Amino acid sequence: SRVLANKITGYHALFTFDDIIGESEKIKEIINLAKLYAPGKESILIEGESGTGKELLAQSIHNYSERRSQPFIALNCANFPNELID
């Protein structure tokens, strides 16, 4: 089944917005914007320094969207060669 395949391959988003810890106005603004855009069909680019929780945010967006039952695939664009990005 798809659920079993997702668990085996790791293509499952585990985190939700409730897992994000932070009380600053900036983090609240980011969460509100993420919730606003999560239901849309557009791609969302998340940028930030290493260790800032980008994948946590991405998984939260995925789990808030209508695609939450579909596989979650995280892409680290830093791993792509420049020629591919161009």
Side-chain angles (χ1 to χ4, degrees):
S1 82
R2 179 180 289 175
V3 173
L4 179 60
N6 289 343
K7 285 184 181 181
I8 292 170
T9 59
Y11 297 144
H12 184 71
L14 301 173
F15 297 105
T16 67
F17 289 116
D18 292 335
D19 295 309
I20 298 176
I21 299 171
E23 295 296 324
S24 71
E25 289 304 314
K26 189 64 175 175
I27 194 66
K28 289 178 183 178
E29 178 184 344
I30 290 169
I31 291 170
N32 287 335
L33 278 173
K35 286 180 176 180
L36 178 69
Y37 286 106
K41 298 200 182 298
E42 300 83 11
S43 297
I44 299 172
L45 175 65
I46 302 171
E47 297 180 307
E49 298 295 321
S50 178
T52 57
K54 294 178 297 292
E55 186 162 343
L56 175 71
L57 182 63
Q59 288 188 25
S60 299
I61 292 168
H62 179 81
N63 281 326
Y64 198 78
S65 76
E66 294 177 6
R67 298 175 301 280
R68 64 186 151 272
S69 63
Q70 302 298 315
F72 173 80
I73 301 171
L75 298 176
N76 183 347
C77 297
N79 295 333
F80 293 155
N82 289 340
E83 298 80 25
L84 182 60
I85 293 173
D86 290 340

Coordinates of all heavy atoms in Angstrom, one line a residue:
S1 N 0.8 -1.2 0.0 CA 0.0 0.0 0.0 C 0.9 1.2 0.0 O 2.0 1.2 0.4 CB -0.9 0.0 1.2 OG -0.3 0.5 2.3
R2 N 0.3 2.4 -0.4 CA 1.1 3.6 -0.5 C 1.5 4.1 0.9 O 2.6 4.5 1.1 CB 0.2 4.7 -1.1 CG 0.9 6.1 -1.1 CD 0.1 7.1 -1.7 NE -0.1 6.8 -3.1 CZ -0.9 7.6 -3.9 NH1 -1.6 8.6 -3.5 NH2 -1.0 7.3 -5.2
V3 N 0.7 3.9 1.9 CA 1.1 4.3 3.3 C 2.3 3.5 3.8 O 3.3 4.1 4.3 CB -0.1 4.1 4.3 CG1 0.3 4.3 5.7 CG2 -1.3 4.9 3.9
L4 N 2.3 2.2 3.5 CA 3.5 1.4 3.9 C 4.7 1.8 3.1 O 5.8 1.9 3.7 CB 3.2 -0.1 3.7 CG 4.3 -1.1 4.0 CD1 4.7 -1.0 5.5 CD2 3.9 -2.5 3.7
A5 N 4.6 2.0 1.8 CA 5.7 2.4 1.0 C 6.3 3.8 1.5 O 7.5 3.9 1.6 CB 5.3 2.6 -0.5
N6 N 5.4 4.7 1.9 CA 5.9 6.0 2.4 C 6.6 5.8 3.7 O 7.6 6.5 3.9 CB 4.7 6.9 2.6 CG 4.1 7.4 1.3 OD1 4.7 7.3 0.3 ND2 2.9 7.9 1.4
K7 N 6.2 4.9 4.6 CA 6.9 4.7 5.8 C 8.2 4.1 5.6 O 9.2 4.4 6.2 CB 6.0 3.8 6.7 CG 4.9 4.6 7.4 CD 4.1 3.7 8.3 CE 3.0 4.5 8.9 NZ 2.2 3.7 9.9
I8 N 8.3 3.1 4.7 CA 9.6 2.5 4.4 C 10.6 3.4 3.8 O 11.8 3.4 4.1 CB 9.3 1.2 3.5 CG1 8.5 0.2 4.3 CG2 10.7 0.7 3.0 CD1 8.1 -1.0 3.4
T9 N 10.2 4.2 2.8 CA 11.1 5.1 2.1 C 11.3 6.4 2.8 O 12.2 7.2 2.4 CB 10.5 5.4 0.7 OG1 9.2 6.0 0.8 CG2 10.4 4.2 -0.2
G10 N 10.6 6.7 3.8 CA 10.8 8.0 4.6 C 10.1 9.1 3.9 O 10.3 10.3 4.3
Y11 N 9.2 8.9 3.0 CA 8.5 10.0 2.3 C 7.2 10.4 3.1 O 6.1 10.4 2.5 CB 8.1 9.6 0.9 CG 9.3 9.4 0.0 CD1 9.3 8.4 -1.0 CD2 10.5 10.1 0.1 CE1 10.3 8.2 -1.8 CE2 11.5 9.9 -0.7 CZ 11.5 8.9 -1.7 OH 12.5 8.7 -2.5
H12 N 7.4 10.6 4.4 CA 6.2 10.9 5.2 C 6.6 12.1 6.1 O 7.6 12.2 6.7 CB 5.9 9.7 6.1 CG 4.7 9.9 6.9 ND1 3.4 9.9 6.4 CD2 4.5 10.1 8.2 CE1 2.5 10.1 7.3 NE2 3.2 10.3 8.5
A13 N 5.7 13.1 6.0 CA 5.9 14.3 6.9 C 5.4 14.0 8.3 O 4.2 13.7 8.4 CB 5.1 15.5 6.2
L14 N 6.2 14.2 9.2 CA 5.9 13.8 10.6 C 5.4 15.1 11.4 O 4.7 14.9 12.4 CB 7.1 13.2 11.3 CG 7.6 11.9 10.7 CD1 8.9 11.5 11.4 CD2 6.5 10.8 10.8
F15 N 5.9 16.2 11.1 CA 5.7 17.4 11.9 C 4.5 18.3 11.5 O 4.2 18.3 10.3 CB 7.0 18.3 11.9 CG 8.2 17.6 12.5 CD1 9.2 17.1 11.7 CD2 8.3 17.4 13.8 CE1 10.3 16.5 12.2 CE2 9.4 16.7 14.4 CZ 10.4 16.3 13.5
T16 N 4.0 19.0 12.5 CA 2.9 19.9 12.2 C 3.2 21.2 12.8 O 4.2 21.4 13.5 CB 1.5 19.4 12.8 OG1 1.7 19.5 14.3 CG2 1.2 18.0 12.4
F17 N 2.4 22.2 12.6 CA 2.7 23.6 13.1 C 2.7 23.5 14.7 O 3.4 24.4 15.3 CB 1.6 24.6 12.6 CG 1.8 24.9 11.2 CD1 0.8 24.6 10.3 CD2 2.9 25.6 10.7 CE1 0.9 24.9 8.9 CE2 3.1 25.9 9.4 CZ 2.1 25.6 8.5
D18 N 2.0 22.6 15.3 CA 2.1 22.5 16.7 C 3.5 22.1 17.3 O 3.8 22.3 18.4 CB 1.0 21.4 17.2 CG -0.4 21.9 17.0 OD1 -0.6 23.1 16.9 OD2 -1.3 21.0 16.9
D19 N 4.3 21.5 16.4 CA 5.6 21.1 16.8 C 6.6 22.3 16.7 O 7.8 22.1 17.2 CB 6.1 20.0 15.9 CG 5.3 18.7 16.1 OD1 5.1 18.3 17.2 OD2 4.9 18.2 15.0
I20 N 6.2 23.4 16.2 CA 7.1 24.5 16.0 C 7.1 25.3 17.3 O 6.0 25.8 17.8 CB 6.8 25.4 14.9 CG1 6.9 24.6 13.5 CG2 7.6 26.7 14.8 CD1 6.5 25.4 12.3
I21 N 8.3 25.5 18.0 CA 8.4 26.1 19.3 C 8.9 27.6 19.0 O 9.9 27.8 18.4 CB 9.3 25.4 20.2 CG1 8.8 24.0 20.5 CG2 9.5 26.2 21.5 CD1 9.8 23.1 21.2
G22 N 8.2 28.5 19.5 CA 8.6 29.9 19.3 C 7.4 30.8 19.6 O 6.3 30.5 19.3
E23 N 7.7 31.9 20.3 CA 6.7 32.9 20.7 C 7.0 34.3 20.1 O 6.2 35.2 20.3 CB 6.7 33.0 22.2 CG 6.3 31.7 22.9 CD 4.8 31.4 22.6 OE1 4.0 32.3 22.4 OE2 4.6 30.2 22.5
S24 N 8.0 34.4 19.3 CA 8.3 35.7 18.7 C 7.3 36.1 17.7 O 6.6 35.3 17.1 CB 9.7 35.8 18.1 OG 9.7 35.0 16.9
E25 N 7.2 37.4 17.4 CA 6.2 37.9 16.4 C 6.6 37.4 15.0 O 5.7 37.1 14.2 CB 6.1 39.4 16.5 CG 5.4 40.0 17.7 CD 4.0 39.4 17.8 OE1 3.3 39.4 16.8 OE2 3.7 39.0 19.0
K26 N 7.9 37.3 14.8 CA 8.4 36.8 13.5 C 8.0 35.4 13.2 O 7.5 35.1 12.1 CB 9.9 37.0 13.4 CG 10.4 36.7 12.0 CD 9.9 37.8 11.0 CE 10.5 37.6 9.7 NZ 10.0 38.6 8.7
I27 N 8.1 34.5 14.2 CA 7.8 33.1 14.0 C 6.3 32.9 13.8 O 5.8 32.2 13.0 CB 8.4 32.1 15.0 CG1 8.2 30.7 14.6 CG2 7.7 32.3 16.4 CD1 9.1 30.3 13.4
K28 N 5.5 33.7 14.6 CA 4.0 33.7 14.5 C 3.6 34.2 13.1 O 2.7 33.6 12.5 CB 3.4 34.6 15.5 CG 3.5 34.0 16.9 CD 2.9 35.0 18.0 CE 3.1 34.4 19.4 NZ 2.6 35.3 20.4
E29 N 4.3 35.2 12.5 CA 4.0 35.7 11.2 C 4.3 34.6 10.1 O 3.5 34.4 9.2 CB 4.8 36.9 10.9 CG 4.7 37.5 9.6 CD 5.6 38.7 9.3 OE1 6.2 39.3 10.3 OE2 5.8 39.1 8.1
I30 N 5.5 33.9 10.3 CA 5.8 32.9 9.4 C 4.8 31.8 9.4 O 4.4 31.3 8.3 CB 7.3 32.4 9.7 CG1 8.3 33.4 9.3 CG2 7.5 31.1 8.9 CD1 9.7 33.1 9.9
I31 N 4.4 31.3 10.5 CA 3.4 30.3 10.6 C 2.1 30.7 10.0 O 1.4 29.9 9.3 CB 3.2 29.8 12.1 CG1 4.5 29.1 12.6 CG2 2.0 28.9 12.3 CD1 4.5 28.9 14.1
N32 N 1.6 31.9 10.3 CA 0.4 32.4 9.7 C 0.5 32.5 8.2 O -0.5 32.1 7.5 CB 0.0 33.8 10.3 CG -0.5 33.7 11.7 OD1 -1.0 32.7 12.1 ND2 -0.3 34.8 12.4
L33 N 1.6 32.9 7.6 CA 1.8 33.0 6.2 C 1.8 31.5 5.6 O 1.2 31.3 4.6 CB 3.1 33.7 5.8 CG 3.0 35.2 5.8 CD1 4.4 35.8 5.5 CD2 2.1 35.7 4.7
A34 N 2.5 30.6 6.3 CA 2.5 29.2 5.8 C 1.1 28.6 5.8 O 0.8 27.9 4.8 CB 3.5 28.4 6.7
K35 N 0.4 28.9 6.8 CA -1.0 28.3 6.9 C -1.9 29.0 5.7 O -2.7 28.3 5.2 CB -1.7 28.6 8.2 CG -1.1 27.7 9.3 CD -1.8 28.0 10.6 CE -1.3 27.1 11.7 NZ -2.0 27.4 13.0
L36 N -1.6 30.2 5.4 CA -2.3 30.9 4.4 C -2.0 30.3 3.0 O -2.9 30.1 2.2 CB -2.0 32.4 4.4 CG -2.6 33.2 3.3 CD1 -4.1 33.4 3.5 CD2 -2.0 34.6 3.3
Y37 N -0.8 29.9 2.8 CA -0.4 29.4 1.5 C -0.5 27.9 1.3 O -0.5 27.3 0.2 CB 1.1 29.8 1.1 CG 1.2 31.3 0.7 CD1 1.7 32.2 1.6 CD2 0.7 31.7 -0.5 CE1 1.8 33.6 1.3 CE2 0.7 33.1 -0.8 CZ 1.3 34.0 0.1 OH 1.3 35.3 -0.3
A38 N -0.5 27.2 2.5 CA -0.6 25.7 2.4 C -1.7 25.1 1.6 O -1.5 24.1 0.9 CB -0.6 25.2 3.9
P39 N -2.9 25.7 1.6 CA -4.0 25.1 0.8 C -3.8 25.3 -0.7 O -4.5 24.6 -1.5 CB -5.2 25.8 1.3 CG -4.9 26.4 2.6 CD -3.4 26.7 2.5
G40 N -2.9 26.2 -1.1 CA -2.8 26.5 -2.5 C -2.0 25.4 -3.3 O -1.5 24.4 -2.7
K41 N -2.0 25.5 -4.6 CA -1.3 24.5 -5.4 C 0.1 25.0 -5.9 O 0.8 24.3 -6.5 CB -2.1 24.2 -6.6 CG -3.5 23.6 -6.3 CD -4.1 22.9 -7.5 CE -5.4 22.3 -7.1 NZ -5.4 21.3 -6.1
E42 N 0.5 26.2 -5.4 CA 1.8 26.8 -5.8 C 2.9 26.1 -5.0 O 2.7 25.7 -3.9 CB 1.8 28.3 -5.6 CG 0.8 29.1 -6.3 CD -0.6 29.1 -5.7 OE1 -0.7 28.7 -4.5 OE2 -1.5 29.5 -6.3
S43 N 4.1 26.1 -5.6 CA 5.3 25.6 -4.9 C 5.7 26.7 -3.9 O 5.5 27.9 -4.2 CB 6.4 25.4 -5.9 OG 6.1 24.3 -6.7
I44 N 6.3 26.3 -2.8 CA 6.7 27.3 -1.8 C 8.2 27.0 -1.6 O 8.7 25.9 -1.3 CB 6.0 27.1 -0.4 CG1 4.5 27.3 -0.6 CG2 6.6 28.0 0.6 CD1 3.7 26.9 0.6
L45 N 9.0 28.1 -1.7 CA 10.5 28.0 -1.5 C 10.8 28.5 -0.1 O 10.4 29.6 0.3 CB 11.2 28.9 -2.6 CG 12.7 29.0 -2.4 CD1 13.4 27.6 -2.6 CD2 13.3 30.0 -3.3
I46 N 11.4 27.7 0.6 CA 11.8 28.0 2.0 C 13.3 28.2 2.0 O 14.1 27.3 1.7 CB 11.4 26.9 3.0 CG1 9.9 26.7 2.9 CG2 11.8 27.3 4.4 CD1 9.4 25.5 3.7
E47 N 13.7 29.4 2.4 CA 15.2 29.7 2.5 C 15.5 30.0 4.0 O 14.7 30.5 4.7 CB 15.5 30.9 1.7 CG 15.3 30.7 0.2 CD 15.6 32.0 -0.6 OE1 15.1 33.1 -0.3 OE2 16.4 31.8 -1.5
G48 N 16.8 29.7 4.3 CA 17.3 30.1 5.6 C 18.6 29.4 5.9 O 19.0 28.5 5.2
E49 N 19.2 29.8 7.0 CA 20.5 29.3 7.4 C 20.3 27.8 7.9 O 19.2 27.4 8.2 CB 21.0 30.1 8.6 CG 21.3 31.5 8.3 CD 22.4 31.7 7.3 OE1 23.4 30.9 7.3 OE2 22.3 32.6 6.4
S50 N 21.4 27.1 7.9 CA 21.4 25.7 8.3 C 20.9 25.6 9.8 O 21.3 26.5 10.6 CB 22.8 25.1 8.2 OG 22.8 23.8 8.6
G51 N 20.0 24.7 10.1 CA 19.6 24.5 11.4 C 18.5 25.4 11.9 O 18.1 25.4 13.1
T52 N 17.8 26.1 11.0 CA 16.7 27.0 11.4 C 15.3 26.4 11.4 O 14.4 27.0 11.7 CB 16.7 28.3 10.5 OG1 16.6 27.9 9.1 CG2 18.0 29.1 10.7
G53 N 15.3 25.1 10.9 CA 14.0 24.4 10.9 C 13.2 24.5 9.6 O 12.0 24.4 9.6
K54 N 13.9 24.6 8.5 CA 13.2 24.7 7.2 C 12.4 23.5 6.9 O 11.3 23.6 6.4 CB 14.3 25.0 6.1 CG 14.9 26.3 6.2 CD 16.0 26.5 5.1 CE 17.1 25.6 5.2 NZ 18.0 25.7 6.3
E55 N 13.0 22.3 7.2 CA 12.2 21.1 6.9 C 11.1 20.9 7.8 O 10.0 20.4 7.4 CB 13.1 19.8 6.9 CG 12.4 18.6 6.5 CD 13.2 17.4 6.1 OE1 14.4 17.6 5.8 OE2 12.7 16.3 6.0
L56 N 11.2 21.3 9.1 CA 10.1 21.3 10.0 C 8.9 22.1 9.5 O 7.8 21.7 9.5 CB 10.6 21.8 11.4 CG 9.5 22.0 12.5 CD1 9.0 20.6 13.0 CD2 10.1 22.8 13.6
L57 N 9.3 23.3 9.0 CA 8.2 24.2 8.4 C 7.6 23.5 7.1 O 6.4 23.5 7.0 CB 8.8 25.5 8.1 CG 7.8 26.6 7.5 CD1 6.7 26.9 8.5 CD2 8.6 27.8 7.1
A58 N 8.5 22.9 6.3 CA 8.0 22.3 5.1 C 7.0 21.1 5.4 O 6.0 21.0 4.8 CB 9.2 21.8 4.2
Q59 N 7.4 20.3 6.4 CA 6.5 19.2 6.8 C 5.2 19.7 7.3 O 4.1 19.2 7.1 CB 7.2 18.3 7.8 CG 8.3 17.5 7.1 CD 8.9 16.5 8.1 OE1 8.2 16.0 9.0 NE2 10.1 16.1 7.8
S60 N 5.3 20.8 8.1 CA 4.1 21.4 8.7 C 3.2 21.9 7.6 O 1.9 21.7 7.7 CB 4.5 22.6 9.6 OG 5.3 22.1 10.7
I61 N 3.7 22.6 6.6 CA 2.9 23.0 5.5 C 2.3 21.9 4.7 O 1.1 21.9 4.4 CB 3.8 23.9 4.5 CG1 4.2 25.2 5.2 CG2 3.0 24.1 3.2 CD1 5.3 25.9 4.4
H62 N 3.1 20.8 4.5 CA 2.5 19.6 3.8 C 1.4 19.0 4.6 O 0.3 18.7 4.0 CB 3.6 18.6 3.6 CG 3.2 17.3 3.0 ND1 3.0 17.2 1.6 CD2 2.8 16.1 3.5 CE1 2.6 16.0 1.3 NE2 2.5 15.3 2.4
N63 N 1.5 18.9 5.9 CA 0.5 18.3 6.7 C -0.7 19.2 6.9 O -1.8 18.7 7.3 CB 1.1 17.9 8.1 CG 1.8 16.6 8.0 OD1 1.5 15.7 7.2 ND2 2.9 16.4 8.8
Y64 N -0.6 20.5 6.6 CA -1.7 21.4 6.7 C -2.5 21.5 5.4 O -3.6 22.0 5.4 CB -1.2 22.8 7.1 CG -2.2 23.7 7.7 CD1 -2.6 23.6 9.0 CD2 -2.7 24.8 6.9 CE1 -3.6 24.5 9.5 CE2 -3.6 25.7 7.4 CZ -4.1 25.5 8.7 OH -5.0 26.4 9.2
S65 N -1.9 20.9 4.4 CA -2.5 21.0 3.0 C -3.4 19.9 2.7 O -3.5 18.9 3.5 CB -1.3 21.1 2.0 OG -0.8 19.8 1.8
E66 N -4.1 20.0 1.6 CA -4.9 18.9 1.1 C -4.1 17.7 0.6 O -4.7 16.6 0.4 CB -5.9 19.4 0.0 CG -6.9 20.4 0.6 CD -7.7 21.0 -0.5 OE1 -7.7 20.5 -1.7 OE2 -8.5 21.9 -0.2
R67 N -2.8 17.9 0.4 CA -1.9 16.8 -0.1 C -1.3 16.0 1.1 O -0.4 15.2 0.8 CB -0.8 17.4 -0.9 CG -1.4 18.2 -2.2 CD -0.3 18.9 -2.9 NE 0.4 19.9 -2.2 CZ 0.0 21.1 -1.9 NH1 -1.2 21.5 -2.4 NH2 0.7 21.9 -1.2
R68 N -1.8 16.2 2.3 CA -1.2 15.5 3.5 C -1.2 14.0 3.3 O -0.3 13.4 4.0 CB -1.8 16.0 4.7 CG -3.3 15.6 4.9 CD -3.9 16.3 6.2 NE -5.3 16.5 6.0 CZ -5.8 17.6 5.5 NH1 -5.0 18.6 5.1 NH2 -7.1 17.8 5.4
S69 N -2.1 13.4 2.6 CA -2.1 12.0 2.4 C -1.1 11.5 1.3 O -0.9 10.3 1.2 CB -3.5 11.5 2.1 OG -3.9 12.0 0.9
Q70 N -0.5 12.4 0.6 CA 0.4 12.1 -0.5 C 1.8 12.0 0.1 O 2.1 12.5 1.2 CB 0.3 13.1 -1.6 CG -1.1 13.3 -2.2 CD -1.5 12.0 -2.8 OE1 -0.8 11.3 -3.5 NE2 -2.8 11.6 -2.6
P71 N 2.8 11.4 -0.7 CA 4.2 11.4 -0.2 C 4.8 12.8 0.0 O 4.4 13.7 -0.7 CB 4.9 10.7 -1.3 CG 3.9 9.9 -2.1 CD 2.6 10.7 -1.9
F72 N 5.6 12.9 1.0 CA 6.4 14.1 1.2 C 7.8 13.9 0.8 O 8.5 13.0 1.2 CB 6.4 14.5 2.7 CG 7.2 15.7 3.0 CD1 6.8 17.0 2.8 CD2 8.5 15.5 3.6 CE1 7.6 18.0 3.1 CE2 9.3 16.5 3.9 CZ 8.9 17.8 3.7
I73 N 8.3 14.7 -0.1 CA 9.6 14.6 -0.6 C 10.4 15.9 -0.4 O 10.0 17.0 -1.0 CB 9.7 14.2 -2.1 CG1 8.9 12.9 -2.3 CG2 11.1 14.1 -2.7 CD1 8.7 12.5 -3.8
A74 N 11.4 15.9 0.4 CA 12.2 17.1 0.7 C 13.3 17.2 -0.3 O 14.0 16.2 -0.5 CB 12.7 17.1 2.1
L75 N 13.6 18.3 -0.9 CA 14.7 18.6 -1.8 C 15.6 19.6 -1.2 O 15.2 20.7 -0.8 CB 14.2 19.1 -3.1 CG 13.3 18.1 -3.9 CD1 12.9 18.8 -5.2 CD2 14.0 16.8 -4.2
N76 N 16.9 19.3 -1.1 CA 17.9 20.2 -0.6 C 18.6 20.8 -1.8 O 19.4 20.1 -2.5 CB 18.9 19.5 0.3 CG 19.9 20.5 0.9 OD1 20.0 21.6 0.4 ND2 20.7 20.0 1.9
C77 N 18.2 22.0 -2.2 CA 18.7 22.6 -3.5 C 20.2 22.8 -3.4 O 20.8 23.0 -4.4 CB 18.0 23.9 -3.8 SG 16.2 23.6 -4.1
A78 N 20.8 22.9 -2.2 CA 22.3 23.1 -2.1 C 23.0 21.9 -2.7 O 24.2 22.0 -3.1 CB 22.7 23.2 -0.7
N79 N 22.3 20.8 -2.9 CA 22.9 19.6 -3.5 C 22.9 19.5 -5.0 O 23.5 18.7 -5.6 CB 22.3 18.3 -2.9 CG 22.5 18.1 -1.4 OD1 23.5 18.6 -0.9 ND2 21.6 17.5 -0.8
F80 N 22.2 20.5 -5.6 CA 22.0 20.5 -7.0 C 23.2 21.2 -7.7 O 23.6 22.3 -7.2 CB 20.7 21.2 -7.5 CG 19.5 20.5 -7.1 CD1 18.3 21.2 -6.9 CD2 19.5 19.1 -6.9 CE1 17.1 20.5 -6.6 CE2 18.3 18.4 -6.5 CZ 17.1 19.2 -6.4
P81 N 23.7 20.7 -8.8 CA 24.7 21.5 -9.5 C 24.1 22.8 -10.1 O 23.0 22.8 -10.4 CB 25.2 20.6 -10.6 CG 24.3 19.4 -10.6 CD 23.4 19.5 -9.4
N82 N 25.0 23.8 -10.2 CA 24.5 25.1 -10.7 C 23.9 25.0 -12.1 O 22.9 25.7 -12.4 CB 25.6 26.1 -10.7 CG 26.0 26.6 -9.3 OD1 25.2 26.4 -8.4 ND2 27.2 27.1 -9.2
E83 N 24.4 24.1 -12.9 CA 23.9 24.0 -14.3 C 22.5 23.5 -14.3 O 21.7 23.9 -15.1 CB 24.8 23.0 -15.1 CG 26.3 23.4 -15.3 CD 27.1 23.1 -14.0 OE1 26.8 22.2 -13.2 OE2 28.1 23.8 -13.9
L84 N 22.1 22.6 -13.3 CA 20.8 22.1 -13.3 C 19.8 23.2 -12.8 O 18.7 23.3 -13.3 CB 20.7 20.9 -12.3 CG 19.4 20.2 -12.2 CD1 18.9 19.7 -13.5 CD2 19.5 19.1 -11.2
I85 N 20.2 24.0 -11.9 CA 19.4 25.1 -11.4 C 19.1 26.1 -12.5 O 18.0 26.6 -12.6 CB 20.0 25.7 -10.1 CG1 20.0 24.7 -9.0 CG2 19.2 27.0 -9.7 CD1 20.7 25.2 -7.8
D86 N 20.2 26.4 -13.3 CA 20.0 27.4 -14.4 C 19.0 26.9 -15.4 O 18.2 27.6 -15.9 CB 21.3 27.6 -15.1 CG 22.3 28.4 -14.2 OD1 21.8 29.1 -13.2 OD2 23.5 28.4 -14.5

